[in-house]
Amino acid sequence: MLPLGLLNAAQGHPMMVELKNGETLNGFLINCDTWMNLTLREVTQTSAEGDKFMQLPEVYVRGNNIKYLRVPDEIVDVVKNQPQPTGARGGRGGAQGRGDYGGRGDRGGRGGARGGRGNGRGRGRGGA
């Protein structure tokens, strides 16, 4: 179970978001993206001290400000029971392995046909 898969399944459901500054947001998840930016509706914002409350119609939360998320248990159960996607290789880069020389177009390596890192000028090479 991946975090973004859980967030996608939680769209339209209530959740609690605690921010790094200690504030909490309770609302319905409307949208999330690959950077874990969230849009919440019908939000109750609570101060870090817990003494101030604000009702907000909609809030956008940047993903790097999130400390943790709390989603309903039934959403977690639904995501756990879903079959995991099977691919040739997971992670970035798709099914392409490291040794097949296809990752950088047709260059092959550093510098291509001109021989590597630069053309020999600069850094200690004087003369004209």
Short mmCIF file of all heavy atoms in Angstrom, two decimals, residues 6-45:
data_model
loop_
_atom_site.label_atom_id
_atom_site.label_comp_id
_atom_site.label_asym_id
_atom_site.label_seq_id
_atom_site.Cartn_x
_atom_site.Cartn_y
_atom_site.Cartn_z
N LEU A 6 -3.44 5.46 -0.99
CA LEU A 6 -4.34 5.65 0.14
C LEU A 6 -5.04 7.00 0.05
O LEU A 6 -6.25 7.10 0.27
CB LEU A 6 -3.55 5.55 1.44
CG LEU A 6 -4.32 5.70 2.73
CD1 LEU A 6 -5.33 4.59 2.88
CD2 LEU A 6 -3.37 5.72 3.91
N LEU A 7 -4.31 8.04 -0.30
CA LEU A 7 -4.92 9.37 -0.42
C LEU A 7 -5.94 9.41 -1.55
O LEU A 7 -7.00 10.03 -1.41
CB LEU A 7 -3.85 10.44 -0.63
CG LEU A 7 -3.10 10.88 0.62
CD1 LEU A 7 -2.01 11.86 0.25
CD2 LEU A 7 -4.05 11.47 1.63
N ASN A 8 -5.63 8.78 -2.66
CA ASN A 8 -6.58 8.76 -3.77
C ASN A 8 -7.86 8.04 -3.38
O ASN A 8 -8.96 8.45 -3.75
CB ASN A 8 -5.96 8.11 -5.01
CG ASN A 8 -4.98 9.05 -5.70
OD1 ASN A 8 -5.17 10.24 -5.72
ND2 ASN A 8 -3.92 8.48 -6.24
N ALA A 9 -7.73 6.97 -2.59
CA ALA A 9 -8.91 6.24 -2.14
C ALA A 9 -9.71 7.04 -1.12
O ALA A 9 -10.91 6.85 -0.98
CB ALA A 9 -8.50 4.90 -1.53
N ALA A 10 -9.05 7.96 -0.41
CA ALA A 10 -9.71 8.73 0.64
C ALA A 10 -10.41 9.98 0.12
O ALA A 10 -11.02 10.71 0.91
CB ALA A 10 -8.69 9.12 1.70
N GLN A 11 -10.36 10.24 -1.17
CA GLN A 11 -11.01 11.44 -1.71
C GLN A 11 -12.51 11.38 -1.45
O GLN A 11 -13.15 10.36 -1.67
CB GLN A 11 -10.71 11.59 -3.20
CG GLN A 11 -9.28 12.00 -3.45
CD GLN A 11 -9.01 12.30 -4.91
OE1 GLN A 11 -9.91 12.43 -5.72
NE2 GLN A 11 -7.74 12.42 -5.24
N GLY A 12 -13.03 12.49 -0.94
CA GLY A 12 -14.44 12.59 -0.61
C GLY A 12 -14.77 12.15 0.80
O GLY A 12 -15.91 12.26 1.24
N HIS A 13 -13.77 11.67 1.54
CA HIS A 13 -13.98 11.21 2.91
C HIS A 13 -13.35 12.19 3.90
O HIS A 13 -12.43 12.94 3.56
CB HIS A 13 -13.36 9.82 3.10
CG HIS A 13 -14.08 8.76 2.34
ND1 HIS A 13 -13.81 8.49 1.02
CD2 HIS A 13 -15.06 7.91 2.71
CE1 HIS A 13 -14.59 7.52 0.61
NE2 HIS A 13 -15.37 7.14 1.62
N PRO A 14 -13.81 12.17 5.15
CA PRO A 14 -13.22 13.06 6.16
C PRO A 14 -11.83 12.60 6.55
O PRO A 14 -11.52 11.40 6.53
CB PRO A 14 -14.19 12.95 7.34
CG PRO A 14 -14.84 11.63 7.18
CD PRO A 14 -14.90 11.37 5.70
N MET A 15 -10.99 13.55 6.90
CA MET A 15 -9.65 13.22 7.37
C MET A 15 -9.13 14.34 8.25
O MET A 15 -9.65 15.45 8.22
CB MET A 15 -8.69 12.96 6.21
CG MET A 15 -8.35 14.15 5.36
SD MET A 15 -7.27 13.78 3.98
CE MET A 15 -6.15 12.62 4.62
N MET A 16 -8.09 14.02 9.02
CA MET A 16 -7.44 15.01 9.86
C MET A 16 -6.00 15.16 9.40
O MET A 16 -5.34 14.16 9.12
CB MET A 16 -7.46 14.59 11.32
CG MET A 16 -7.19 15.74 12.24
SD MET A 16 -5.77 15.71 13.33
CE MET A 16 -5.19 14.11 13.43
N VAL A 17 -5.55 16.39 9.27
CA VAL A 17 -4.18 16.68 8.84
C VAL A 17 -3.53 17.50 9.95
O VAL A 17 -4.06 18.53 10.35
CB VAL A 17 -4.17 17.50 7.53
CG1 VAL A 17 -2.75 17.80 7.09
CG2 VAL A 17 -4.94 16.78 6.44
N GLU A 18 -2.39 17.02 10.44
CA GLU A 18 -1.62 17.84 11.37
C GLU A 18 -0.44 18.42 10.61
O GLU A 18 0.27 17.72 9.90
CB GLU A 18 -1.12 17.05 12.58
CG GLU A 18 -0.38 17.98 13.55
CD GLU A 18 -0.09 17.35 14.90
OE1 GLU A 18 -0.75 16.38 15.27
OE2 GLU A 18 0.81 17.86 15.57
N LEU A 19 -0.27 19.73 10.78
CA LEU A 19 0.81 20.43 10.10
C LEU A 19 2.05 20.47 10.98
O LEU A 19 1.98 20.26 12.20
CB LEU A 19 0.36 21.85 9.76
CG LEU A 19 -0.91 21.95 8.92
CD1 LEU A 19 -1.27 23.41 8.68
CD2 LEU A 19 -0.76 21.21 7.61
N LYS A 20 3.19 20.76 10.38
CA LYS A 20 4.44 20.83 11.12
C LYS A 20 4.43 21.92 12.19
O LYS A 20 5.13 21.80 13.19
CB LYS A 20 5.61 21.07 10.16
CG LYS A 20 5.91 19.87 9.29
CD LYS A 20 7.07 20.17 8.36
CE LYS A 20 7.37 18.99 7.48
NZ LYS A 20 8.45 19.29 6.53
N ASN A 21 3.61 22.96 12.01
CA ASN A 21 3.55 24.03 13.01
C ASN A 21 2.61 23.70 14.16
O ASN A 21 2.40 24.51 15.05
CB ASN A 21 3.16 25.35 12.36
CG ASN A 21 1.75 25.35 11.80
OD1 ASN A 21 1.00 24.41 11.96
ND2 ASN A 21 1.40 26.44 11.13
N GLY A 22 2.00 22.51 14.16
CA GLY A 22 1.15 22.07 15.25
C GLY A 22 -0.33 22.27 15.02
O GLY A 22 -1.15 21.72 15.76
N GLU A 23 -0.72 23.04 14.02
CA GLU A 23 -2.14 23.24 13.72
C GLU A 23 -2.72 21.95 13.15
O GLU A 23 -2.02 21.16 12.52
CB GLU A 23 -2.33 24.37 12.71
CG GLU A 23 -1.94 25.73 13.23
CD GLU A 23 -2.13 26.81 12.17
OE1 GLU A 23 -2.45 26.48 11.01
OE2 GLU A 23 -1.94 27.98 12.52
N THR A 24 -4.03 21.76 13.39
CA THR A 24 -4.71 20.62 12.79
C THR A 24 -5.85 21.11 11.91
O THR A 24 -6.46 22.14 12.18
CB THR A 24 -5.27 19.66 13.85
OG1 THR A 24 -6.19 20.36 14.67
CG2 THR A 24 -4.17 19.06 14.69
N LEU A 25 -6.11 20.36 10.86
CA LEU A 25 -7.19 20.65 9.92
C LEU A 25 -8.06 19.41 9.81
O LEU A 25 -7.56 18.31 9.55
CB LEU A 25 -6.61 20.99 8.53
CG LEU A 25 -5.60 22.13 8.47
CD1 LEU A 25 -4.91 22.15 7.12
CD2 LEU A 25 -6.29 23.44 8.74
N ASN A 26 -9.36 19.57 10.04
CA ASN A 26 -10.32 18.48 9.89
C ASN A 26 -11.27 18.86 8.76
O ASN A 26 -11.90 19.92 8.83
CB ASN A 26 -11.12 18.27 11.18
CG ASN A 26 -10.28 17.63 12.25
OD1 ASN A 26 -9.95 16.46 12.17
ND2 ASN A 26 -9.90 18.43 13.23
N GLY A 27 -11.35 18.02 7.75
CA GLY A 27 -12.23 18.32 6.63
C GLY A 27 -12.33 17.14 5.68
O GLY A 27 -11.80 16.06 5.95
N PHE A 28 -13.00 17.36 4.57
CA PHE A 28 -13.19 16.33 3.56
C PHE A 28 -12.15 16.50 2.46
O PHE A 28 -12.00 17.59 1.90
CB PHE A 28 -14.59 16.42 2.96
CG PHE A 28 -15.67 16.04 3.93
CD1 PHE A 28 -16.23 16.99 4.77
CD2 PHE A 28 -16.10 14.73 4.02
CE1 PHE A 28 -17.21 16.64 5.68
CE2 PHE A 28 -17.08 14.37 4.93
CZ PHE A 28 -17.63 15.32 5.76
N LEU A 29 -11.42 15.44 2.16
CA LEU A 29 -10.40 15.48 1.11
C LEU A 29 -11.07 15.58 -0.25
O LEU A 29 -11.88 14.72 -0.61
CB LEU A 29 -9.52 14.23 1.17
CG LEU A 29 -8.40 14.15 0.14
CD1 LEU A 29 -7.40 15.28 0.33
CD2 LEU A 29 -7.71 12.81 0.21
N ILE A 30 -10.74 16.62 -0.98
CA ILE A 30 -11.30 16.83 -2.32
C ILE A 30 -10.32 16.39 -3.39
O ILE A 30 -10.68 15.74 -4.36
CB ILE A 30 -11.68 18.32 -2.52
CG1 ILE A 30 -12.70 18.74 -1.48
CG2 ILE A 30 -12.20 18.57 -3.92
CD1 ILE A 30 -13.95 17.89 -1.45
N ASN A 31 -9.06 16.73 -3.19
CA ASN A 31 -8.06 16.44 -4.23
C ASN A 31 -6.70 16.27 -3.59
O ASN A 31 -6.41 16.84 -2.53
CB ASN A 31 -8.04 17.58 -5.25
CG ASN A 31 -7.35 17.18 -6.54
OD1 ASN A 31 -7.00 16.02 -6.73
ND2 ASN A 31 -7.16 18.13 -7.43
N CYS A 32 -5.83 15.49 -4.24
CA CYS A 32 -4.42 15.38 -3.84
C CYS A 32 -3.61 15.15 -5.12
O CYS A 32 -4.13 14.68 -6.12
CB CYS A 32 -4.21 14.24 -2.85
SG CYS A 32 -4.57 12.62 -3.52
N ASP A 33 -2.34 15.52 -5.05
CA ASP A 33 -1.47 15.32 -6.22
C ASP A 33 -0.25 14.52 -5.81
O ASP A 33 -0.13 14.07 -4.67
CB ASP A 33 -1.13 16.65 -6.89
CG ASP A 33 -0.33 17.59 -5.99
OD1 ASP A 33 0.23 17.14 -4.97
OD2 ASP A 33 -0.26 18.78 -6.32
N THR A 34 0.69 14.35 -6.75
CA THR A 34 1.85 13.50 -6.50
C THR A 34 2.83 14.09 -5.49
O THR A 34 3.68 13.37 -4.99
CB THR A 34 2.61 13.22 -7.82
OG1 THR A 34 2.92 14.45 -8.44
CG2 THR A 34 1.76 12.39 -8.75
N TRP A 35 2.71 15.38 -5.19
CA TRP A 35 3.56 16.00 -4.17
C TRP A 35 2.86 16.04 -2.82
O TRP A 35 3.32 16.67 -1.90
CB TRP A 35 3.96 17.41 -4.61
CG TRP A 35 4.82 17.40 -5.82
CD1 TRP A 35 6.15 17.20 -5.88
CD2 TRP A 35 4.37 17.60 -7.16
NE1 TRP A 35 6.57 17.24 -7.18
CE2 TRP A 35 5.50 17.48 -7.99
CE3 TRP A 35 3.12 17.86 -7.74
CZ2 TRP A 35 5.42 17.63 -9.36
CZ3 TRP A 35 3.06 17.99 -9.10
CH2 TRP A 35 4.20 17.87 -9.90
N MET A 36 1.73 15.35 -2.72
CA MET A 36 0.91 15.26 -1.52
C MET A 36 0.33 16.62 -1.11
O MET A 36 0.04 16.86 0.06
CB MET A 36 1.68 14.63 -0.36
CG MET A 36 0.81 13.75 0.49
SD MET A 36 1.71 12.81 1.73
CE MET A 36 2.37 11.49 0.75
N ASN A 37 0.16 17.51 -2.08
CA ASN A 37 -0.60 18.73 -1.84
C ASN A 37 -2.07 18.32 -1.74
O ASN A 37 -2.54 17.50 -2.53
CB ASN A 37 -0.42 19.74 -2.97
CG ASN A 37 1.03 20.15 -3.14
OD1 ASN A 37 1.76 20.30 -2.18
ND2 ASN A 37 1.44 20.31 -4.38
N LEU A 38 -2.79 18.89 -0.78
CA LEU A 38 -4.17 18.49 -0.53
C LEU A 38 -5.11 19.67 -0.66
O LEU A 38 -4.74 20.79 -0.34
CB LEU A 38 -4.32 17.93 0.89
CG LEU A 38 -3.36 16.84 1.33
CD1 LEU A 38 -3.62 16.48 2.78
CD2 LEU A 38 -3.50 15.62 0.45
N THR A 39 -6.32 19.40 -1.09
CA THR A 39 -7.41 20.37 -1.03
C THR A 39 -8.49 19.76 -0.14
O THR A 39 -8.95 18.65 -0.39
CB THR A 39 -7.99 20.67 -2.42
OG1 THR A 39 -6.93 21.10 -3.27
CG2 THR A 39 -9.04 21.76 -2.35
N LEU A 40 -8.86 20.49 0.92
CA LEU A 40 -9.88 20.05 1.86
C LEU A 40 -11.06 21.00 1.82
O LEU A 40 -10.88 22.21 1.62
CB LEU A 40 -9.32 20.01 3.28
CG LEU A 40 -8.12 19.11 3.54
CD1 LEU A 40 -7.54 19.39 4.92
CD2 LEU A 40 -8.51 17.66 3.42
N ARG A 41 -12.27 20.47 2.04
CA ARG A 41 -13.49 21.29 2.11
C ARG A 41 -14.13 21.14 3.47
O ARG A 41 -13.94 20.13 4.14
CB ARG A 41 -14.50 20.85 1.05
CG ARG A 41 -14.14 21.37 -0.31
CD ARG A 41 -15.35 21.96 -1.03
NE ARG A 41 -14.89 22.54 -2.28
CZ ARG A 41 -15.02 21.96 -3.46
NH1 ARG A 41 -15.63 20.82 -3.56
NH2 ARG A 41 -14.55 22.55 -4.55
N GLU A 42 -14.94 22.16 3.84
CA GLU A 42 -15.64 22.17 5.13
C GLU A 42 -14.65 21.91 6.27
O GLU A 42 -14.79 20.97 7.05
CB GLU A 42 -16.77 21.14 5.15
CG GLU A 42 -17.83 21.39 4.10
CD GLU A 42 -18.86 20.29 4.06
OE1 GLU A 42 -19.12 19.68 5.12
OE2 GLU A 42 -19.41 20.05 2.98
N VAL A 43 -13.66 22.78 6.38
CA VAL A 43 -12.50 22.56 7.26
C VAL A 43 -12.71 23.27 8.60
O VAL A 43 -13.15 24.42 8.66
CB VAL A 43 -11.22 23.07 6.58
CG1 VAL A 43 -10.02 22.91 7.49
CG2 VAL A 43 -11.01 22.36 5.26
N THR A 44 -12.33 22.57 9.65
CA THR A 44 -12.19 23.17 10.97
C THR A 44 -10.71 23.20 11.28
O THR A 44 -10.06 22.15 11.36
CB THR A 44 -12.93 22.34 12.05
OG1 THR A 44 -14.29 22.23 11.68
CG2 THR A 44 -12.81 23.02 13.40
N GLN A 45 -10.16 24.41 11.43
CA GLN A 45 -8.75 24.58 11.73
C GLN A 45 -8.61 24.82 13.23
O GLN A 45 -9.31 25.65 13.80
CB GLN A 45 -8.18 25.77 10.96
CG GLN A 45 -6.71 26.02 11.23
CD GLN A 45 -6.19 27.22 10.45
OE1 GLN A 45 -6.94 27.89 9.75
NE2 GLN A 45 -4.91 27.48 10.58
#
